[in-house]
Amino acid sequence: MKSSTAANGSALAEVWPLSPLQEGLLFHADFDDRGPDIYTVQFLLAVDGPLDAPRLRATWEGLLARHASLRASFHRRKSGEAVQLITRNVMLPWREVDLSELAEPDISDQADKLAAQERAERLDVTVPPLLRLLLIRLGDGRH
């Protein structure tokens, strides 16, 4: 394991070997950079009731800070060897959309379109983290 260091001596990132699953992910990302990401998974979670969006975001930021594997990105060395770079600090890709002002049928249609757009947008495996979040407000107490 190797580390990159900042001027003050603290580690900015660590270089780790890829796991077999990560090697497969990188192979498919390199093989076809225009088709759908076959390793990408989208999770949809309905939240009914009060939701503190800043607290939810802070929770995800805490997960990123706590778990090194969530801060990974993939790179190739000059030798061609694939490695993962574990960056110490990353920004959480977080977006919020408020659809609550739309008519009920339009809310569902627009939420479906947003989900489809998120699924279609490929992750750049060279930029950590390899996840992103979209919080959609559907109405009062519905997310």
Side-chain angles (χ1 to χ4, degrees), residues 4-139:
S4 301
T5 56
N8 67 3
S10 64
L12 297 175
E14 295 178 348
V15 178
W16 295 356
L18 294 184
S19 71
L21 179 63
Q22 290 170 326
E23 286 178 4
L25 190 149
L26 183 58
F27 169 81
H28 286 286
D30 286 346
F31 179 73
D32 181 5
D33 63 357
R34 298 189 193 275
D37 274 331
I38 64 169
Y39 280 94
T40 299
V41 177
Q42 182 179 66
F43 292 99
L44 301 174
L45 176 65
V47 179
D48 293 321
L51 177 70
D52 184 339
R55 181 176 280 177
L56 179 62
R57 181 179 183 163
T59 300
W60 275 99
E61 289 170 339
L63 283 170
L64 277 178
R66 189 172 301 119
H67 299 285
S69 61
L70 295 178
R71 300 187 309 273
S73 59
F74 306 137
H75 305 272
R76 292 210 181 269
R77 294 182 175 202
K78 290 179 184 177
S79 67
E81 175 193 16
V83 295
Q84 58 179 309
L85 186 66
I86 307 297
T87 305
R88 174 169 277 200
N89 297 306
V90 298
M91 295 290 294
L92 176 69
W94 174 273
R95 197 164 61 106
E96 294 183 36
V97 175
D98 188 348
L99 303 179
S100 63
E101 299 297 320
L102 299 176
E104 191 59 40
D106 296 333
I107 290 174
S108 180
D109 289 344
Q110 189 61 32
D112 289 345
K113 285 179 185 174
L114 287 167
Q117 288 170 352
E118 284 293 313
R119 265 191 320 277
E121 186 180 335
R122 295 178 60 95
L123 287 172
D124 180 349
V125 297
T126 66
V127 179
L130 302 180
L131 61 87
R132 61 179 174 262
L133 293 111
L134 170 62
L135 177 63
I136 304 172
R137 183 168 191 262
L138 304 173

